[in-house]
Amino acid sequence: MIMNKECKWRPKEPADPSKVSRLSAELGIDRVLAELLVRRGVETFEQARAFFRPDLKDLHDPFLMKDMDLAVERVHKAVTSKEKILVYGDYDVDGTTAVALVYSFLQRFTRDIGFYVPDRYDEGYGVSAKGIDWAAKNGYGLIITLDCGIKALEKVEYAKKKGIDVIVCDHHLPEDSLPGAVAVLDPKREDCHYPFDDLSGCGVGFKLVQAYSQRYGISFDSLLPLLDLLVVSISSDLVSMTGENRLLAHFGLKVLNESPREGLKAIIGLSMLEQGHVTVDDIVFKIGPRINAAGRMESGSLSVELLTATESEEAMLIAKKINDSNNERKSIDREITQEALEMVQDGRCLASENAIVVYNPSWNKGVVGIVASRLVEAFYKPTVVLTSSNGFVTGSARSVAGFDLYSSIEQCSDLLENFGGHVYAAGLTLREDNLKEFAVRMDRFIAGKITDEMLTPVVEIDAQLNFSQITPKFFRLLKQFQPFGPGNNNPVFMTENVYDAGFGRKVGAGGVHMKLDLIQESQPYHRIATIAFNMADCYDYIKAGNPFDVCYSIVENYYRGASSIQLRMKDFHERQDII
C-alpha cells in the first residue's frame, strides 16, 4: 500500500470488439479471456496455439546476434587448446545464474575453467581491475563476462595489456563506444539485429552455449537442464515475460519443478515451497532474494557454488549458509528502511520535493536497492539511496512507472565516477563533495520531466468481473497465460459492491496481512477466498461489513496437497453510494 497516495484505477483501452468476438468464437472461450489475448497480440487460432503451447523450436537462431560467430570460435579455440577460461559475472541473481549456466556447460568440455564473482564491497559492480589481475596471476587467457562488461572499455583494454582476451555477454544499454573485446554479445547494441532484445544476462549466456552446441553438433536436449537457472534469472531480473523470455521461462519452470539442480532443490526446501508447484512469484519473492543475499551479505561466489553443486549434502550446507544470510539481510533491511522513512518524514534527506535522495554513510551497501524500492512504495517518487564504500558514495536508484530515471542519472554523469542500469533501476558511485550538487541537480531535472500523472500510483484494470464468472474452467484457461511477468502480467480484475462474509482475520507476522471470504452483494452464493498482503490497516472498515469495490488478480492457492482458487487483493475503494 502507498503511504501517502491513493491509487487511481484505470481501465485498459478496450481491444477491437470484432477481433475479440472472432477469437472468442474460434476458441470457444469467454469474451474476457479473448480480450486479454487480443491485447497481447494474439488474434488468430494459430497465434493462440503458439501462445498456449510454447515450443522450443521457436527459439531464434543464436547466430542472428552480432559477434556470435566470433564468440563461438574464440571459446572453441580455448577449449581445444586447453587454454584457461574464466567465467566472470555480476553478484546478483542474474549474474550468478549466468555464471553457473556457462560454467556448467563448458565444464563438460574442459577442465581448464574457473569462475569469478567480484566482491560488492571491495570491487563494486562490473569488471574490476582486481578481477583481471587475479585472472592474469592464475594464468587465464580468456575471460567471458556475463551480465556486465558493456561499459568496461578501460578494463577490457587493461585485460588485453595483460595478455587476456575478453568476450562480453551483457544485456544492459551500451554507451556510444563498445569495448574492444574479441566479441561483444548484447542484443541492445545498435548494430545488432537479433529479433528479441530483452534477454536477461543469463539469457545472453544461454544463447552463447546454444550457438556453441549448434556449431559443434551438441544435442540441444543436453541444454535443457540449464533452463532452471534461466527461469530464476528471467523472473528475478524482471525482464519482459514476452517472446523468447516467456518461452524459456515456460520450460524453465518445468525443469525447476520436475528435476531442479541440487542447489535450487535445497533453496526450494528451505523456502518452504511445495516441490512441483513452484511459480514465478515464488522465484521473485523467495528463491531470488535468497540467492541475492549471498552477494549482499557475504560473497556472490557462494551462490555460484550453490548453483553448481552436484551433491545434495554439499548443496544443503551452502543453502543453509545463504538462508542465514537472507535472514540477516531482512533484519538489516527493515532497520535501514525505518531510518530512511524517518529521514524523509523529518526533512533530514538531501532531496524530497520531486525525487527522494537519502544518504547515511553507515548503511549496508548490500540492501540499499531494496530500501530504495521500499521508499518508492511509501512515497511514490523516484528515489536514490546512498551510503559510503571504499571512500566513495555509492548506492541504488529506483523509479516510478513511466519515468526514465536512468536518463536523469545520465545527465549528472559529470558528477559521477560510475553508473549503470535500466530505465527503472540503476546503480551509481560518486565523490562525497559532489553529493549535494547531485541531489539538487537530480531534483531539478526530475521536476522538469515528471508529471502529476506519473506521481500517482495507478492500478490498471483488465476487466470487470462478477464473482460468478470465476469458474474452474475460466481459471484453468487463465492459468495457461502463465508464466506471468512484465509485458504479460497476471490480469487485474475489478468487482463492484462486495463485502466480507464475517470470517476476515489478520494473519502473518505482526498481523500485517488479511484473509477474507468475499461475497458480491448481487450474488450472495459465490463466496471466494481472498488474501490481502500488507493491507491490515483496512481491517476495521472491512470487518465491520462495509461494502467496497475491489481489484485483484486470481491465483492458485496450493496448500498441503489441496489446490483452490484465491483472489489476491491489490486495492479497494470504499463505496461512495452508501447512505
Side-chain angles (χ1 to χ4, degrees), residues 209-456:
V209 303
Q210 183 193 356
Y212 190 93
S213 301
Q214 197 169 300
R215 175 67 55 87
Y216 295 106
I218 299 159
S219 166
F220 181 82
D221 286 348
S222 71
L223 305 183
L224 297 182
L226 301 172
L227 296 183
D228 58 353
L229 292 168
L230 202 44
V231 70
V232 170
S233 153
I234 290 167
S235 303
S236 300
D237 213 50
L238 298 178
V239 289
S240 64
M241 195 65 79
T242 60
E244 245 182 351
N245 283 342
R246 183 172 178 272
L247 181 56
L248 291 165
H250 172 87
F251 288 97
L253 279 172
K254 286 175 68 72
V255 176
L256 188 64
N257 279 295
E258 293 170 8
S259 54
R261 65 193 52 240
E262 292 297 340
L264 289 174
K265 188 187 296 183
I267 287 290
I268 287 167
L270 290 171
S271 302
M272 307 299 287
L273 297 171
E274 291 262 8
Q275 180 68 58
H277 296 272
V278 179
T279 66
V280 167
D281 273 1
D282 293 328
I283 296 171
V284 171
F285 295 110
K286 295 186 177 180
I287 296 173
R290 283 172 168 81
I291 295 172
N292 247 338
R296 292 185 190 282
M297 307 306 297
E298 192 168 336
S299 168
S301 295
L302 201 60
S303 291
V304 180
E305 289 174 24
L306 172 76
L307 298 172
T308 55
T310 55
E311 301 296 327
S312 58
E313 294 84 358
E314 177 194 9
M316 185 54 74
L317 280 173
I318 301 170
K320 283 179 177 175
K321 196 171 182 182
I322 286 176
N323 198 53
D324 289 343
S325 291
N326 188 54
N327 289 333
E328 182 186 356
R329 186 273 305 167
K330 286 193 284 189
S331 174
I332 293 171
D333 159 21
R334 282 192 294 268
E335 183 181 319
I336 294 176
T337 297
Q338 188 56 42
E339 288 179 20
L341 286 168
E342 290 172 359
M343 285 177 73
V344 178
Q345 290 162 344
D346 298 344
R348 292 181 287 116
C349 49
L350 294 169
S352 63
E353 188 172 348
N354 303 294
I356 289 172
V357 182
V358 289
Y359 169 63
N360 185 324
S362 67
W363 285 341
N364 184 301
K365 181 183 175 184
V367 301
V368 291
I370 298 171
V371 174
S373 296
R374 300 268 193 270
L375 294 186
V376 171
E377 289 175 11
F379 302 109
Y380 212 71
K381 293 179 181 179
T383 298
V384 185
V385 179
L386 300 163
T387 186
S388 284
S389 178
N390 294 328
F392 290 96
V393 173
T394 186
S396 293
R398 298 291 184 269
S399 192
V400 297
F403 184 74
D404 181 357
L405 182 62
Y406 184 85
S407 66
S408 303
I409 293 170
E410 194 171 34
Q411 66 85 37
C412 296
S413 59
D414 58 305
L415 300 173
L416 305 177
E417 300 297 307
N418 196 7
F419 70 99
H422 306 284
V423 171
Y424 295 129
L428 61 150
T429 301
L430 66 158
R431 297 183 184 278
E432 190 167 3
D433 54 10
N434 286 331
L435 184 55
K436 287 187 179 178
E437 174 64 17
F438 169 76
V440 169
R441 201 189 294 180
M442 278 286 289
D443 197 62
R444 187 187 305 137
F445 182 83
I446 288 172
K449 299 288 183 182
I450 204 160
T451 64
D452 287 343
E453 186 176 3
M454 291 176 187
L455 291 170
T456 303

Side-chain angles (χ1 to χ4, degrees), residues 172-186:
H172 296 98
L173 284 167
E175 293 181 331
D176 293 338
S177 299
L178 296 174
V182 172
V184 178
L185 305 182
D186 189 333

Side-chain angles (χ1 to χ4, degrees), residues 20 35 56 79 93 272 305 314 428 505 528:
V20 172
E35 173 134 2
L56 286 168
V79 168
V93 180
M272 307 299 287
E305 289 174 24
E314 177 194 9
L428 61 150
R505 64 190 190 278
I528 189 158

